[in-house]
Amino acid sequence: MASEMDALRMDERQRLCWLKANRATLMLVGICWLGIIAYELLAHRKPWFYIIMVPVFAAIRFVSYRYFVRAGRMPQE
């Protein structure tokens, strides 16, 4: 399956920069998410949905990683 990197015909250097930008974006979203949790807690509200979703998203990422690693393996000869 073609990715956006394939559609944009990126070379290896551009692919690495794209992946680094994705990682930075993910980190920024995570920091914002933690900020929302802290804000809600300081306002004496319990943000259960936000708190519960942190490990849920981590589990989804781990399971999808394991799936893609297994799917990407070449058969042993």
Side-chain angles (χ1 to χ4, degrees):
M1 174 173 23
S3 69
E4 66 273 6
M5 293 183 287
D6 296 327
L8 294 172
R9 296 186 182 113
M10 294 182 177
D11 62 23
E12 289 304 314
R13 183 189 60 80
Q14 291 169 323
R15 285 175 182 263
L16 181 60
C17 292
W18 183 266
L19 293 173
K20 286 181 178 181
N22 286 345
R23 182 184 302 162
T25 303
L26 183 62
M27 288 179 175
L28 183 62
V29 169
I31 290 168
C32 289
W33 191 279
L34 293 174
I36 291 169
I37 292 172
Y39 177 80
E40 293 291 321
L41 288 172
L42 289 173
H44 303 291
R45 293 187 292 262
K46 301 291 189 263
W48 294 116
F49 175 77
Y50 295 113
I51 293 170
I52 290 170
M53 290 309 291
V54 170
V56 169
F57 285 136
I60 290 169
R61 184 173 183 176
F62 178 73
V63 169
S64 62
Y65 166 76
R66 297 291 296 189
Y67 171 77
F68 289 125
V69 165
R70 183 173 296 171
R73 280 193 192 145
M74 299 299 288
Q76 298 292 340
E77 294 185 61

